[in-house]
Every structure is written in structure tokens, then in C-alpha cells.
Amino acid sequence: MSSGGDGPRSPLFLRIFLFMLLCVGVVQLMNLVLVVAAETPDQKLYTIGQIADAVTGQGSAPEELSVSPATKVPSVPPNLRGERLGLALAMALGTNAARIRFDFPTGVLGRQPVYERRNVPRALPFSSPEAARSVFVFGSFRLWVQGEDGRWTRIEPAGIVEPWRWYGVLWLIASVLAVAPFAWALAHRIAKPFGAFAAAAERLGRNPQALPLALSGPSEIVEAAAAFNQMQARLNRYVDDRTTVIGALAHDLRTPLMRMALRLEAAPDPVRRACESDIRDMQALITSTVAYVRETGQPATRRRLDLRSLAETVIDDLSDRGEPVVLQPGEPVVIEGDPATLKAMIVNLVSNALKYAGSAQVSLECSGDEVSVTVRDHGPGIPDADIDHVFEPFFRGERSRNRDTGGIGLGLASARAVARAHGGDISVENLADGGLCARVTLPV
């Protein structure tokens, strides 16, 4: 979304309303053109003589008339037009009018007038068969004629859809095509702000310090963008305040611990040694807490980097110290992230594997739009009851009080915070053949 000016913005509902009026106006304009420019449909005309020739197969019957045997003859309600034409055709064929049934379809919504026989006078006969043959039949009709052998024949115009009806259908299709660009523009203008909100929410999940949304567009969109920016600012202030309090508390605890250590100088040696050990543990815990707050609370510096090269740096440093850790070969994996925090994350995962299993195997796999960093070991694994708690701060799977074997309990919590700050996540699982697998997924 590009930044807009500070002038008044028209509401979104007004824009949609105007677009809809424009679409309706275009359709109505095209209908007006159809009414004014279209020619009157040609009326099909047949004579009773032509229909009689089609029934008998003699004379010059028009090709447009379809003649076929009728397997089922419907009952036709009495109507003046049908009786008059039936009487004329009966005279032309020299047969009884009771053997002829005329029907005139009026379409799906039309309704043919029906009369009660007793209230309508009967049609008068024509003066001669020649006069009857010259009577015109116009429009669509269906006709059933019974022969001397008792079989019925059906006669009707061959065309199902007349040309002018096809013209109307094509005009309707043209109207839809004319309105389609306006409908597409309306849908695009409505959907575009929602796409921008979705992208902003995704950026916020990847980086809480992402730039706020620009305030542009209709007034409703501007209000929603402003509310989103305020929510992002409140979330950042909330996290920053809690992080600041924890960091300040951990930092300020160093002073009373130092005073306690000085006062213990005059204490007996057994008491002094025990208290000094506790003080060292507390100082280590405070140092880890401050580092955790610093890593998770400070805004990260993002840049493009090769994650494999970063992992190779960690593995080479540990290998130089004689640690049994290997990195599987592969292609470079370029992502956008903070090198310092990503390196600390890999160090945490590999160090845990070395501490609890004695060895580590690291691999990087790129699949689609994400990359996986996997750290495997062949140690005892983690009890199933602890799998859901290993990422909680200060949780230690090793229940001893020894800081060297049990750690502080912030390593995996810090690693997960780094992964989620980069729009990814981390998970651990016990392997079927023994050992533990820690997998980090990051967007490419």
C-alpha cells in the first residue's frame, strides 16, 4: 500500500455503490441500443395449402416444415384460432375436422387463451377448398393430423430457436463481456486491501519490528490500517516492558549477591564454600537470563545470508575443539535473517546434543519455500512426558541440581524465540532407532 495524502477519503461502500451503478448503467445502455437498433423479427408465414401439401407429400411443401409420425397426441384445449385453422385444413385435405388438432406454443411464460365451448360460436366453413388453402398460418405451431388408417402425423416448423432469439442471446453475452471489466476492477479494489492486511499480519509474525501499514485507500481501510498499526505498537510495548523488567531485575540482583559474597568471607569454611557455590549458580542463572532477554528483546538486523556457511562456521569451531560433530554436504541456502541470533540458535542446539549425547549430526534441506535445519544425536532422547515442556524457560530435563549437567534451562527456549522471530519454528522428537532430532524450519 502506498502512502496517501491527508485529504478526505470517500467511503468504501460509496465506491462499491458507484461501481454497481456504473455496471447497471452500461447494461441498460446496451439494452437501449438493442431496443432502438434491432430490427423487428421476421414473421414466418405458411398457408394452409402448403401445410396440406406437407401432410400429403404432394405439391410444393416448404422445407422448413417438419413432418414425422406421432407416437403420442396430447389433448389440445379448445381455442378459436385452432378451430378456424383446423376447419380450413380439413377442407383442404377433404377430411373431418375432428382428425386435426392445432396447438400454438406461447413459450415458458406465455399463456394461450382457453375458452369454454358453450360460450363461443363455432367457426363457419369456408366457401371452397381453394379459399381454405389460401388461409395464412403465422408464428410457431404444432399440428397433429390423423390419417384414414388411424395413425397420427405431426407437423411443425423445423427450427427450434428462431434467428432473432439467437441474436438476443448473443447480445446478452456481449452485455456480460462489457460489464466484466468493471466487475473485475470492483473485485480487485475490494480484495486488494485484504491482501495487504494478510501480508502485514505475516510480516508481523516473522518480525514484530516490521514497518507499519501505510494509511491509504478508502476511509474504512485507513481506519482498519490505523487500528492494525496501534495493535502492533501495543504488542511491541507490552513485550518490551516485560523484557525490560526481567532484564533489570536480573541485573540488579548482582549487587546483593556481591554483598553476600563479601560478608561470607568471615564465615566458617564449610558454610562459606556451600554459600559460594550457590552464589555462583545464581550468578550463572542471572547471566543466562540477561543473555536470553538481550537475544529475544533486541530488534534483529536482517540481511541476506547463506545459512549453510553460517552452520559451517559453528561446526568448524566445535570441530577445532575436538567435538564429534559433522555437517552433511549440500547446496547453499540463502535466507534473510540476523546472523548473530541464528548462529546462537545453531550453537544452542548442537551444544545440547554434544552435552547429553556426546555427538551431533547437522543437515540442511531446502523444500519449496522453507528450509529445515536438523540436529540429530544418538543419545538417550527425552521422556515423552517432557517433549511438550522442553521449550519452556528454566525447564530442565535433567533433574539434578548440578548446573554443569542440567544447565540453566534457557537454551531451547532461546532457540525457539530466534526461530519464531524469523517466521519459523522448532520442534523435537525422539527417533525410532534411538536419539533425538531437533528440527528448525525457516522461510526462504
Side-chain angles (χ1 to χ4, degrees), residues 57-132:
Q58 301 174 357
S60 57
E63 297 180 356
E64 292 85 0
L65 291 177
S66 173
V67 182
S68 60
T71 57
K72 183 179 180 181
V73 181
S75 59
V76 178
N79 62 86
L80 294 179
R81 184 184 176 195
E83 289 186 6
R84 182 70 172 171
L85 295 176
L87 183 59
L89 183 59
M91 290 188 65
L93 293 174
T95 184
N96 191 347
R99 295 175 178 270
I100 299 174
R101 297 183 183 179
F102 259 102
D103 187 26
F104 303 95
T106 56
V108 177
L109 301 179
R111 182 178 180 183
Q112 181 175 324
V114 179
Y115 305 93
E116 294 186 12
R117 179 68 272 171
R118 64 177 181 270
N119 296 330
V120 179
R122 291 189 177 276
L124 297 177
F126 293 87
S127 59
S128 64
E130 289 73 14

Coordinates of all heavy atoms in Angstrom, one line a residue, residues 57-132:
G57 N -47.6 -35.0 -48.9 CA -46.4 -35.2 -49.6 C -46.5 -34.9 -51.0 O -45.7 -35.4 -51.8
Q58 N -47.4 -34.0 -51.4 CA -47.6 -33.6 -52.8 C -47.4 -32.1 -52.9 O -47.4 -31.4 -51.9 CB -49.0 -34.0 -53.3 CG -49.2 -35.5 -53.2 CD -50.7 -35.9 -53.6 OE1 -51.5 -35.0 -53.9 NE2 -51.0 -37.2 -53.6
G59 N -47.3 -31.6 -54.1 CA -47.2 -30.2 -54.3 C -45.9 -29.6 -53.9 O -44.8 -30.3 -53.8
S60 N -45.8 -28.4 -53.6 CA -44.6 -27.6 -53.2 C -44.6 -27.3 -51.7 O -44.8 -26.2 -51.3 CB -44.5 -26.3 -54.0 OG -45.6 -25.5 -53.9
A61 N -44.4 -28.3 -50.9 CA -44.4 -28.1 -49.4 C -43.0 -27.4 -49.1 O -42.0 -27.9 -49.6 CB -44.6 -29.4 -48.7
P62 N -43.0 -26.4 -48.2 CA -41.7 -25.8 -47.8 C -40.9 -26.7 -47.0 O -41.4 -27.6 -46.3 CB -42.2 -24.6 -47.0 CG -43.5 -24.9 -46.5 CD -44.2 -25.8 -47.6
E63 N -39.5 -26.6 -47.2 CA -38.6 -27.4 -46.5 C -38.6 -27.1 -45.0 O -38.1 -27.9 -44.2 CB -37.2 -27.3 -47.1 CG -37.1 -27.7 -48.5 CD -35.7 -27.5 -49.1 OE1 -34.9 -27.0 -48.3 OE2 -35.5 -27.9 -50.2
E64 N -39.0 -25.9 -44.6 CA -39.0 -25.6 -43.1 C -40.0 -26.4 -42.3 O -39.9 -26.3 -41.1 CB -39.3 -24.1 -43.0 CG -38.2 -23.2 -43.5 CD -38.4 -22.9 -45.0 OE1 -39.4 -23.5 -45.6 OE2 -37.6 -22.2 -45.6
L65 N -40.9 -27.0 -42.9 CA -41.9 -27.8 -42.2 C -41.4 -29.2 -41.9 O -41.0 -29.9 -42.8 CB -43.2 -27.9 -42.9 CG -44.0 -26.5 -43.0 CD1 -45.3 -26.7 -43.9 CD2 -44.4 -26.0 -41.6
S66 N -41.4 -29.6 -40.7 CA -41.0 -31.0 -40.3 C -42.2 -31.9 -40.2 O -43.2 -31.5 -39.4 CB -40.3 -30.9 -38.9 OG -40.0 -32.2 -38.4
V67 N -42.2 -33.0 -40.8 CA -43.3 -34.0 -40.8 C -42.7 -35.3 -40.3 O -41.7 -35.8 -40.8 CB -43.9 -34.2 -42.2 CG1 -45.0 -35.2 -42.2 CG2 -44.3 -32.9 -42.8
S68 N -43.4 -35.8 -39.2 CA -42.9 -37.0 -38.6 C -44.1 -37.8 -38.0 O -45.1 -37.1 -37.6 CB -41.9 -36.7 -37.5 OG -42.5 -35.9 -36.5
P69 N -44.0 -39.1 -37.8 CA -45.0 -39.9 -37.2 C -45.1 -39.5 -35.7 O -44.1 -39.2 -35.0 CB -44.6 -41.3 -37.3 CG -43.6 -41.3 -38.4 CD -42.9 -40.0 -38.4
A70 N -46.4 -39.4 -35.2 CA -46.6 -39.0 -33.8 C -47.0 -40.3 -33.0 O -47.9 -41.0 -33.4 CB -47.7 -38.0 -33.7
T71 N -46.2 -40.6 -32.0 CA -46.5 -41.7 -31.1 C -47.4 -41.3 -30.0 O -48.1 -42.2 -29.4 CB -45.2 -42.3 -30.5 OG1 -44.5 -41.2 -29.8 CG2 -44.2 -42.8 -31.6
K72 N -47.5 -40.1 -29.7 CA -48.4 -39.6 -28.6 C -49.0 -38.3 -29.0 O -48.3 -37.4 -29.4 CB -47.6 -39.5 -27.3 CG -48.4 -39.1 -26.1 CD -47.5 -38.9 -24.8 CE -48.4 -38.5 -23.6 NZ -47.6 -38.4 -22.4
V73 N -50.3 -38.2 -28.9 CA -51.0 -37.0 -29.3 C -51.6 -36.4 -28.0 O -52.5 -37.0 -27.3 CB -52.1 -37.3 -30.3 CG1 -52.8 -36.0 -30.7 CG2 -51.6 -38.0 -31.5
P74 N -51.1 -35.2 -27.6 CA -51.7 -34.6 -26.4 C -53.1 -34.0 -26.7 O -53.5 -33.8 -27.8 CB -50.7 -33.5 -26.1 CG -50.2 -33.1 -27.5 CD -50.1 -34.3 -28.3
S75 N -53.8 -33.8 -25.6 CA -55.1 -33.1 -25.7 C -54.9 -31.6 -25.8 O -54.2 -31.0 -25.0 CB -55.9 -33.5 -24.4 OG -55.3 -33.0 -23.3
V76 N -55.5 -31.0 -26.8 CA -55.3 -29.6 -27.0 C -56.6 -28.9 -26.5 O -57.7 -29.2 -26.9 CB -55.1 -29.3 -28.5 CG1 -55.0 -27.8 -28.8 CG2 -53.9 -30.1 -29.0
P77 N -56.5 -27.9 -25.7 CA -57.6 -27.2 -25.2 C -58.3 -26.4 -26.3 O -57.6 -25.9 -27.3 CB -57.1 -26.2 -24.1 CG -55.7 -26.0 -24.5 CD -55.2 -27.3 -25.0
P78 N -59.6 -26.2 -26.3 CA -60.3 -25.5 -27.4 C -59.9 -24.1 -27.5 O -59.7 -23.4 -26.5 CB -61.7 -25.7 -27.0 CG -61.8 -25.9 -25.6 CD -60.5 -26.7 -25.3
N79 N -59.6 -23.6 -28.7 CA -59.3 -22.2 -28.9 C -59.8 -21.8 -30.3 O -59.9 -22.6 -31.2 CB -57.8 -21.9 -28.8 CG -57.0 -22.7 -29.8 OD1 -56.8 -22.2 -30.9 ND2 -56.5 -23.9 -29.4
L80 N -60.2 -20.5 -30.5 CA -60.8 -20.1 -31.7 C -59.9 -20.2 -32.9 O -60.3 -20.6 -34.0 CB -61.3 -18.6 -31.5 CG -62.4 -18.4 -30.5 CD1 -62.7 -16.9 -30.4 CD2 -63.7 -19.2 -30.9
R81 N -58.7 -19.8 -32.7 CA -57.7 -19.8 -33.8 C -57.5 -21.2 -34.3 O -57.5 -21.5 -35.5 CB -56.4 -19.2 -33.4 CG -55.4 -19.1 -34.5 CD -54.1 -18.5 -33.9 NE -53.0 -18.5 -35.0 CZ -51.7 -18.3 -34.7 NH1 -51.3 -18.2 -33.4 NH2 -50.8 -18.3 -35.7
G82 N -57.3 -22.2 -33.3 CA -57.1 -23.6 -33.7 C -58.3 -24.2 -34.5 O -58.1 -24.9 -35.4
E83 N -59.5 -23.9 -34.0 CA -60.6 -24.4 -34.7 C -60.8 -23.9 -36.1 O -61.1 -24.6 -37.0 CB -61.9 -24.1 -33.8 CG -62.0 -24.9 -32.5 CD -63.3 -24.6 -31.8 OE1 -64.1 -24.0 -32.4 OE2 -63.4 -25.1 -30.7
R84 N -60.5 -22.6 -36.2 CA -60.7 -21.9 -37.6 C -59.7 -22.5 -38.5 O -60.0 -22.9 -39.7 CB -60.4 -20.4 -37.4 CG -60.6 -19.6 -38.7 CD -62.0 -19.6 -39.2 NE -62.2 -18.7 -40.3 CZ -63.3 -18.6 -41.0 NH1 -64.3 -19.3 -40.7 NH2 -63.4 -17.8 -42.1
L85 N -58.4 -22.7 -38.1 CA -57.4 -23.2 -39.0 C -57.6 -24.7 -39.2 O -57.3 -25.2 -40.3 CB -56.0 -23.0 -38.4 CG -55.6 -21.5 -38.3 CD1 -54.2 -21.4 -37.7 CD2 -55.5 -20.8 -39.7
G86 N -58.1 -25.4 -38.2 CA -58.3 -26.8 -38.3 C -59.4 -27.1 -39.3 O -59.4 -28.0 -40.1
L87 N -60.5 -26.2 -39.3 CA -61.5 -26.4 -40.3 C -61.0 -26.1 -41.7 O -61.4 -26.8 -42.7 CB -62.7 -25.4 -39.9 CG -63.9 -25.4 -40.8 CD1 -64.5 -26.8 -40.8 CD2 -64.9 -24.4 -40.4
A88 N -60.1 -25.1 -41.9 CA -59.6 -24.8 -43.2 C -58.7 -26.0 -43.7 O -58.8 -26.4 -44.9 CB -58.8 -23.5 -43.2
L89 N -57.9 -26.5 -42.8 CA -57.1 -27.7 -43.3 C -57.9 -28.9 -43.6 O -57.6 -29.7 -44.5 CB -56.0 -28.0 -42.2 CG -55.0 -29.1 -42.5 CD1 -54.2 -28.7 -43.7 CD2 -54.1 -29.3 -41.3
A90 N -59.0 -29.1 -42.8 CA -59.9 -30.2 -43.1 C -60.5 -30.1 -44.5 O -60.6 -31.1 -45.2 CB -60.9 -30.4 -42.0
M91 N -60.9 -28.9 -44.9 CA -61.5 -28.7 -46.2 C -60.4 -28.9 -47.3 O -60.7 -29.5 -48.3 CB -62.1 -27.3 -46.3 CG -63.3 -27.1 -45.5 SD -64.1 -25.5 -45.8 CE -64.6 -25.7 -47.5
A92 N -59.2 -28.4 -47.0 CA -58.1 -28.6 -48.0 C -57.7 -30.1 -48.2 O -57.4 -30.5 -49.3 CB -56.9 -27.8 -47.6
L93 N -57.8 -30.8 -47.1 CA -57.4 -32.3 -47.2 C -58.6 -33.1 -47.5 O -58.5 -34.3 -47.8 CB -56.9 -32.7 -45.8 CG -55.5 -32.1 -45.4 CD1 -55.1 -32.6 -44.0 CD2 -54.4 -32.5 -46.4
G94 N -59.9 -32.6 -47.4 CA -61.1 -33.4 -47.7 C -61.3 -34.4 -46.6 O -61.7 -35.5 -46.9
T95 N -61.1 -34.0 -45.3 CA -61.3 -34.9 -44.2 C -62.1 -34.3 -43.1 O -62.5 -33.1 -43.3 CB -59.9 -35.4 -43.6 OG1 -60.1 -36.4 -42.6 CG2 -59.2 -34.2 -43.0
N96 N -62.3 -35.0 -42.0 CA -63.1 -34.5 -40.9 C -62.2 -33.6 -40.0 O -61.1 -33.9 -39.7 CB -63.7 -35.7 -40.1 CG -64.7 -35.2 -39.1 OD1 -64.9 -34.0 -38.9 ND2 -65.5 -36.1 -38.6
A97 N -62.8 -32.4 -39.6 CA -62.1 -31.5 -38.7 C -61.7 -32.2 -37.4 O -60.8 -31.7 -36.7 CB -62.9 -30.3 -38.5
A98 N -62.4 -33.2 -37.0 CA -62.1 -33.9 -35.7 C -60.8 -34.6 -35.7 O -60.3 -35.0 -34.7 CB -63.3 -34.8 -35.3
R99 N -60.3 -34.9 -37.0 CA -59.0 -35.6 -37.1 C -57.8 -34.6 -37.1 O -56.7 -35.0 -37.3 CB -59.0 -36.3 -38.4 CG -60.0 -37.5 -38.6 CD -59.9 -38.1 -40.0 NE -60.9 -39.2 -40.1 CZ -60.5 -40.5 -39.8 NH1 -59.3 -40.7 -39.4 NH2 -61.4 -41.4 -39.9
I100 N -58.1 -33.3 -36.8 CA -57.0 -32.3 -36.8 C -56.9 -31.6 -35.5 O -58.0 -31.2 -35.0 CB -57.2 -31.3 -38.0 CG1 -57.2 -32.1 -39.3 CG2 -56.2 -30.2 -38.0 CD1 -57.6 -31.2 -40.5
R101 N -55.7 -31.4 -35.0 CA -55.5 -30.7 -33.7 C -54.4 -29.7 -33.9 O -53.3 -30.0 -34.2 CB -55.2 -31.7 -32.6 CG -56.3 -32.7 -32.3 CD -55.9 -33.5 -31.1 NE -56.9 -34.5 -30.9 CZ -56.8 -35.5 -29.9 NH1 -55.7 -35.5 -29.1 NH2 -57.8 -36.4 -29.7
F102 N -54.8 -28.4 -33.7 CA -53.8 -27.3 -33.8 C -53.5 -26.9 -32.4 O -54.3 -26.7 -31.6 CB -54.4 -26.1 -34.6 CG -53.9 -26.0 -36.0 CD1 -54.8 -26.4 -37.1 CD2 -52.7 -25.5 -36.3 CE1 -54.3 -26.3 -38.4 CE2 -52.3 -25.4 -37.6 CZ -53.1 -25.8 -38.7
D103 N -52.2 -26.6 -32.2 CA -51.7 -26.1 -30.9 C -50.7 -25.0 -31.2 O -49.9 -25.1 -32.1 CB -51.1 -27.2 -30.0 CG -50.8 -26.7 -28.6 OD1 -51.4 -25.7 -28.2 OD2 -49.8 -27.2 -28.0
F104 N -50.7 -24.0 -30.4 CA -49.8 -22.8 -30.6 C -49.0 -22.6 -29.3 O -49.5 -22.0 -28.4 CB -50.6 -21.6 -31.0 CG -51.5 -21.8 -32.2 CD1 -52.8 -22.1 -32.1 CD2 -50.9 -21.6 -33.4 CE1 -53.6 -22.3 -33.2 CE2 -51.7 -21.8 -34.6 CZ -53.1 -22.1 -34.4
P105 N -47.7 -23.0 -29.3 CA -46.9 -22.8 -28.1 C -46.7 -21.3 -27.9 O -46.4 -20.6 -28.8 CB -45.6 -23.6 -28.4 CG -45.9 -24.5 -29.5 CD -47.0 -23.8 -30.3
T106 N -46.7 -20.9 -26.6 CA -46.5 -19.5 -26.3 C -45.3 -19.2 -25.5 O -45.1 -18.1 -24.9 CB -47.7 -18.9 -25.6 OG1 -48.0 -19.7 -24.4 CG2 -49.0 -18.9 -26.5
G107 N -44.4 -20.2 -25.4 CA -43.2 -20.0 -24.6 C -43.4 -20.4 -23.1 O -44.5 -20.9 -22.7
V108 N -42.3 -20.3 -22.4 CA -42.3 -20.7 -21.0 C -43.3 -19.9 -20.1 O -44.0 -20.4 -19.3 CB -40.9 -20.7 -20.4 CG1 -40.9 -21.1 -18.9 CG2 -40.0 -21.6 -21.2
L109 N -43.2 -18.5 -20.3 CA -44.0 -17.6 -19.5 C -45.4 -17.3 -20.2 O -46.2 -16.6 -19.5 CB -43.3 -16.4 -19.2 CG -41.9 -16.6 -18.5 CD1 -41.2 -15.2 -18.3 CD2 -42.1 -17.3 -17.2
G110 N -45.6 -17.6 -21.4 CA -46.8 -17.2 -22.1 C -48.0 -18.1 -21.7 O -47.8 -19.2 -21.2
R111 N -49.2 -17.7 -22.0 CA -50.4 -18.5 -21.7 C -51.4 -18.3 -22.8 O -51.8 -17.2 -23.2 CB -51.0 -18.0 -20.4 CG -52.2 -18.8 -20.0 CD -52.7 -18.3 -18.6 NE -53.9 -19.1 -18.2 CZ -54.6 -18.9 -17.2 NH1 -54.3 -17.9 -16.4 NH2 -55.6 -19.6 -16.9
Q112 N -51.7 -19.4 -23.4 CA -52.7 -19.4 -24.5 C -54.1 -19.3 -24.0 O -54.5 -20.0 -23.1 CB -52.5 -20.7 -25.3 CG -53.4 -20.8 -26.5 CD -53.1 -22.0 -27.3 OE1 -51.9 -22.4 -27.4 NE2 -54.1 -22.6 -27.9
P113 N -54.9 -18.4 -24.6 CA -56.3 -18.2 -24.1 C -57.1 -19.5 -24.4 O -57.0 -20.1 -25.4 CB -56.8 -17.0 -24.9 CG -55.9 -17.0 -26.1 CD -54.6 -17.4 -25.6
V114 N -57.8 -19.9 -23.4 CA -58.7 -21.1 -23.5 C -60.1 -20.7 -23.2 O -60.4 -19.8 -22.3 CB -58.3 -22.2 -22.4 CG1 -59.2 -23.4 -22.5 CG2 -56.8 -22.6 -22.7
Y115 N -61.0 -21.2 -24.0 CA -62.4 -20.8 -24.0 C -63.3 -22.0 -23.6 O -63.0 -23.1 -24.0 CB -62.9 -20.2 -25.3 CG -62.0 -19.0 -25.8 CD1 -60.9 -19.2 -26.6 CD2 -62.3 -17.7 -25.4 CE1 -60.2 -18.2 -27.1 CE2 -61.5 -16.7 -25.8 CZ -60.4 -16.9 -26.6 OH -59.7 -15.9 -27.1
E116 N -64.4 -21.7 -23.0 CA -65.4 -22.7 -22.8 C -66.3 -22.9 -24.1 O -66.7 -21.9 -24.7 CB -66.3 -22.4 -21.6 CG -65.6 -22.3 -20.3 CD -66.6 -22.1 -19.1 OE1 -67.8 -22.2 -19.4 OE2 -66.1 -21.9 -18.0
R117 N -66.5 -24.1 -24.5 CA -67.1 -24.4 -25.7 C -68.5 -23.8 -25.9 O -68.9 -23.3 -26.9 CB -67.1 -25.9 -25.9 CG -67.8 -26.4 -27.3 CD -67.0 -26.0 -28.5 NE -67.3 -24.7 -29.0 CZ -66.7 -24.0 -30.0 NH1 -65.6 -24.6 -30.5 NH2 -67.0 -22.9 -30.4
R118 N -69.3 -23.8 -24.8 CA -70.6 -23.4 -24.9 C -70.8 -21.9 -25.0 O -71.9 -21.4 -25.4 CB -71.4 -23.8 -23.7 CG -70.9 -23.2 -22.4 CD -71.8 -23.7 -21.2 NE -71.4 -23.1 -19.9 CZ -70.5 -23.7 -19.1 NH1 -69.9 -24.8 -19.5 NH2 -70.1 -23.1 -18.0
N119 N -69.8 -21.1 -24.7 CA -69.8 -19.7 -24.8 C -69.3 -19.1 -26.1 O -69.3 -17.9 -26.3 CB -69.1 -19.0 -23.6 CG -69.7 -19.4 -22.3 OD1 -70.9 -19.6 -22.2 ND2 -68.9 -19.4 -21.2
V120 N -68.7 -19.9 -26.9 CA -68.1 -19.5 -28.2 C -68.8 -20.1 -29.4 O -69.0 -21.3 -29.4 CB -66.6 -19.8 -28.2 CG1 -65.9 -19.3 -29.5 CG2 -65.9 -19.2 -26.9
P121 N -69.2 -19.3 -30.3 CA -69.8 -19.8 -31.5 C -68.8 -20.6 -32.4 O -67.6 -20.4 -32.3 CB -70.3 -18.6 -32.3 CG -69.4 -17.5 -31.8 CD -69.1 -17.8 -30.4
R122 N -69.3 -21.6 -33.1 CA -68.5 -22.4 -33.9 C -68.0 -21.7 -35.1 O -68.7 -20.8 -35.6 CB -69.2 -23.7 -34.3 CG -69.5 -24.6 -33.1 CD -70.0 -26.0 -33.6 NE -70.2 -26.9 -32.5 CZ -69.2 -27.6 -31.9 NH1 -68.0 -27.5 -32.4 NH2 -69.5 -28.4 -30.9
A123 N -66.8 -22.1 -35.6 CA -66.3 -21.4 -36.8 C -67.1 -21.8 -38.0 O -67.5 -22.9 -38.2 CB -64.8 -21.9 -37.0
L124 N -67.3 -20.8 -38.9 CA -68.0 -21.0 -40.1 C -67.2 -21.7 -41.1 O -66.0 -21.4 -41.2 CB -68.6 -19.7 -40.6 CG -69.5 -18.9 -39.7 CD1 -69.9 -17.6 -40.2 CD2 -70.8 -19.8 -39.4
P125 N -67.7 -22.5 -42.0 CA -66.9 -23.2 -43.0 C -66.6 -22.2 -44.1 O -67.2 -21.1 -44.3 CB -67.8 -24.3 -43.5 CG -69.2 -23.8 -43.2 CD -69.1 -23.0 -41.9
F126 N -65.5 -22.5 -44.8 CA -65.1 -21.7 -45.9 C -65.9 -22.0 -47.2 O -66.5 -23.1 -47.3 CB -63.6 -21.9 -46.2 CG -62.7 -21.4 -45.1 CD1 -62.4 -22.3 -44.0 CD2 -62.2 -20.2 -45.1 CE1 -61.6 -21.8 -43.0 CE2 -61.3 -19.7 -44.1 CZ -61.1 -20.5 -43.0
S127 N -65.9 -21.0 -48.1 CA -66.7 -21.2 -49.3 C -66.3 -22.3 -50.2 O -67.1 -22.9 -50.9 CB -66.8 -19.8 -50.0 OG -65.4 -19.5 -50.4
S128 N -65.0 -22.5 -50.2 CA -64.4 -23.6 -51.1 C -63.1 -24.1 -50.6 O -62.4 -23.4 -49.8 CB -64.3 -23.0 -52.5 OG -63.3 -22.0 -52.6
P129 N -62.6 -25.2 -51.0 CA -61.3 -25.7 -50.7 C -60.2 -24.7 -51.1 O -59.2 -24.6 -50.4 CB -61.2 -27.0 -51.3 CG -62.6 -27.5 -51.5 CD -63.4 -26.3 -51.8
E130 N -60.4 -24.1 -52.3 CA -59.4 -23.1 -52.7 C -59.3 -21.9 -51.7 O -58.2 -21.5 -51.4 CB -59.7 -22.6 -54.1 CG -59.5 -23.6 -55.2 CD -60.6 -24.7 -55.2 OE1 -61.6 -24.5 -54.5 OE2 -60.4 -25.7 -55.9
A131 N -60.4 -21.5 -51.2 CA -60.4 -20.4 -50.3 C -59.7 -20.8 -49.0 O -59.0 -20.1 -48.3 CB -61.8 -19.9 -50.0
A132 N -60.0 -22.1 -48.6 CA -59.4 -22.6 -47.3 C -57.8 -22.7 -47.5 O -57.1 -22.5 -46.5 CB -60.0 -24.0 -47.0

